[in-house]
């Protein structure tokens, strides 16, 4: 009466090895390998803007991707957090109190430990002169407000692929 | 030997390649359209979140201004509320001085008309009388309980933005419905706290 059914699932034990990897910019991160597949930390993006609207927009666009998001509300805080957090990318507004985005970008480029961090300037000014000023300060790319979500995502991915 | 002429062979690889390219082009256009719609949807969500996340009257005013600057794309904006002695007073502004706000807030001016009629005026729509200020782009009544509690005026758009898009009009309509209510409720809450 009744039946006993058993099954056996074949499984190979998986060794998880921890290793430390050094990025090009000198950051050392811990990565793990499981079953031959490399697991890495999420990319970190620093959002620097004094506008709650822009920060909310950027978070909504980027939250669907595997990014860790950090926020700063002005250029000085952005610079401080860039040093503390070592993001993979910085989205930097231009017009901000305390320190504007162009100056913050210059200081990032002059700071040895974070000098190579990609910076995308987010600006209401798309005129050639404004773009040239941003490039001269060392920005990697720029987006013009109002921000287009697809364009933002495309430029972010291009810089931290 | 096949009696099918090569030109009549239905498996023409060139025709297939052309058909595939056409399908790819349509798919890419569809993707671009969906991405644009997604961006617009994010705008609407952000605008709503900003309005309904504001904790007091002043923050609602700042949120409306911030939405116009960053989502619509204008750095010349003012919000008018009804003055106790009649007429309209600019209570929040960015990029426009007192002279310009006063000029559009005159009796029977664009702000007054939008506030009285509860109807949005947008340049180029062909509705309503000329605004008086040629730089004015829109006057949007912010409505609650069937009346305009404030009027949003937008002057020039950012230089790289030639005109309002359909999605901008949706954002402005959204502000018209939700910002009015947020302003009314936060004003009442502020008065209740002060009493």
């Amino acid at each position: 009466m009744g039946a006993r059914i058993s099954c056996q699932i074949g499984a190979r034990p998986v060794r998880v090895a921890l290793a430390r990897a050094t990025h090009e910019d000198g950051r050392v991160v811990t990565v793990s390998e499981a079953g031959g597949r490399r697991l890495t930390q999420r990319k970190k993006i620093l959002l620097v803007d004094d506008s709650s609207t822009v920060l909310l927009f950027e978070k909504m666009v980027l939250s669907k991707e595997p990014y860790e998001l950090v926020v700063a509300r002005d250029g000085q805080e952005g610079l401080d957090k860039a040093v503390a957090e070592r993001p993979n990318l910085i989205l930097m507004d231009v017009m901000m109190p305390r320190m504007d985005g162009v100056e913050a970008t210059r200081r990032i480029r002059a700071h040895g430990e974070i000098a190579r961090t990609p910076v995308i300037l987010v600006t209401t000014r798309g005129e050639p002169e404004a773009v040239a000023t941003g490039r001269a300060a060392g920005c990697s790319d720029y987006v013009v407000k109002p921000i287009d979500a697809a364009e933002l995502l495309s430029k972010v991915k291009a810089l931290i692929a | 030997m096949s009696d099918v002429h090569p030109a009549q062979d239905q498996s023409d690889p060139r025709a297939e390649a052309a058909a595939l390219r056409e399908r790819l082009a349509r798919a890419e256009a569809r993707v671009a359209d969906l991405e644009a719609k997604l961006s617009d949807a994010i705008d609407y969500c952000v605008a709503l979140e900003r309005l309904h996340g504001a904790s007091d009257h002043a923050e609602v005013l700042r949120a409306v201004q911030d939405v116009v600057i960053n989502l619509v794309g204008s750095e010349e904006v003012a919000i008018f509320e009804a003055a106790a002695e009649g007429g309209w007073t600019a209570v929040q502004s960015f990029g426009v001085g007192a002279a310009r706000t006063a000029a559009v807030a005159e009796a029977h001016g664009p702000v007054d008309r939008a506030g009285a009629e509860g109807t949005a005026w947008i340049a180029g729509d062909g509705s309503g009388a000329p605004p008086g200020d040629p730089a004015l782009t829109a006057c949007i009544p912010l409505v609650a309980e069937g009346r305009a509690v404030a009027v949003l005026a937008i002057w020039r758009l950012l230089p790289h933005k030639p005109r309002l898009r359909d999605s901008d009009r949706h954002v402005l309509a959204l502000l018209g419905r939700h910002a009015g209510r947020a302003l009314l409720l936060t004003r009442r809450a502020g008065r209740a706290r002060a009493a």
Side-chain angles (χ1 to χ4, degrees):
Chain A
M1 294 266 294
R4 173 181 284 172
I5 301 172
S6 64
C7 61
Q8 188 171 10
I9 301 172
R12 292 180 291 119
V14 176
R15 242 184 330 174
V16 176
L18 295 178
R20 296 176 73 79
T22 302
H23 280 249
E24 285 183 356
D25 59 7
R27 286 178 302 118
V28 178
V29 298
T30 300
V31 302
S32 59
E33 292 190 359
R37 189 166 60 89
R38 191 179 185 83
L39 305 175
T40 60
Q41 288 182 321
R42 288 192 301 167
K43 302 285 188 181
K44 185 183 293 186
I45 301 177
L46 174 60
L47 312 178
V48 187
D49 208 303
D50 62 331
S51 164
S52 299
T53 301
V54 174
L55 288 173
L56 189 54
F57 183 94
E58 291 173 344
K59 285 179 191 174
M60 283 195 181
V61 172
L62 298 172
S63 63
K64 296 177 186 2
E65 304 292 330
Y67 301 137
E68 179 185 348
L69 304 178
V70 181
V71 170
R73 300 303 296 249
D74 61 55
Q76 182 61 59
E77 186 183 357
L79 180 61
D80 295 340
K81 288 202 173 178
V83 174
E85 298 282 345
R86 306 291 187 88
N88 299 89
L89 174 77
I90 302 172
L91 288 181
M92 180 82 76
D93 182 30
V94 173
M95 297 303 298
M96 291 183 289
R98 270 214 300 173
M99 183 190 296
D100 66 39
V102 173
E103 179 59 25
T105 302
R106 280 197 199 101
R107 296 197 187 190
I108 286 168
R109 289 289 171 260
H111 196 297
E113 296 171 351
I114 55 173
R116 296 174 65 176
T117 308
V119 176
I120 297 178
L121 282 180
V122 182
T123 175
T124 55
R125 291 285 172 258
E127 299 92 338
E129 302 79 21
V131 173
T133 300
R135 297 277 188 200
C139 78
S140 313
D141 206 340
Y142 71 94
V143 291
V144 179
K145 296 178 185 179
I147 304 171
D148 176 79
E151 181 189 6
L152 176 66
L153 204 48
S154 171
K155 293 194 171 188
V156 165
K157 288 181 175 180
L159 285 170
I160 57 172
Chain B
M1 180 183 296
S2 168
D3 56 359
V4 175
H5 193 281
Q8 295 174 345
D9 187 346
Q10 294 187 4
S11 62
D12 181 359
R14 282 175 293 184
E16 279 187 50
L20 281 172
R21 281 194 294 272
E22 188 182 337
R23 283 182 65 187
L24 178 60
R26 284 200 301 268
E28 287 174 342
R30 178 80 177 131
V31 167
D33 181 58
L34 288 171
E35 286 178 339
K37 285 185 165 70
L38 175 62
S39 191
D40 294 343
I42 292 176
D43 281 348
Y44 308 150
C45 288
V46 169
L48 281 172
E49 179 84 18
R50 290 286 285 124
L51 290 175
H52 294 290
S55 57
D56 58 35
H57 195 72
E59 195 173 335
V60 175
L61 291 171
R62 286 193 297 270
V64 173
Q65 177 178 283
D66 204 30
V67 165
V68 172
I69 292 171
N70 290 292
L71 299 186
V72 176
S74 171
E75 292 183 320
E76 296 183 356
V77 55
I79 304 167
F80 300 81
E81 288 186 330
E85 62 275 20
W88 299 87
T89 302
V91 294
Q92 183 81 27
S93 67
F94 185 93
V96 286
R100 291 182 79 181
T101 56
V104 299
E106 290 174 347
H108 310 296
V111 169
D112 191 35
R113 285 199 300 274
E117 297 165 11
T119 305
W121 175 87
I122 295 178
D125 277 6
S127 62
D133 186 337
L136 205 60
T137 293
C139 278
I140 309 296
L142 309 181
V143 177
E145 297 181 353
R147 61 181 177 88
V149 298
V151 177
L152 167 66
I154 301 171
W155 281 261
R156 289 176 300 182
L157 301 177
L158 291 171
H160 54 272
K161 183 153 183 165
R163 67 189 64 81
L164 292 174
R165 303 169 303 162
D166 287 343
S167 59
D168 297 323
R169 292 163 182 267
H170 291 313
V171 170
L172 294 178
L174 196 150
L175 289 177
R177 290 193 301 275
H178 292 269
R181 183 158 179 78
L183 286 170
L184 183 64
L185 291 177
T186 51
R187 186 191 298 159
R188 285 177 178 166
R191 287 176 181 163
R193 280 194 295 270

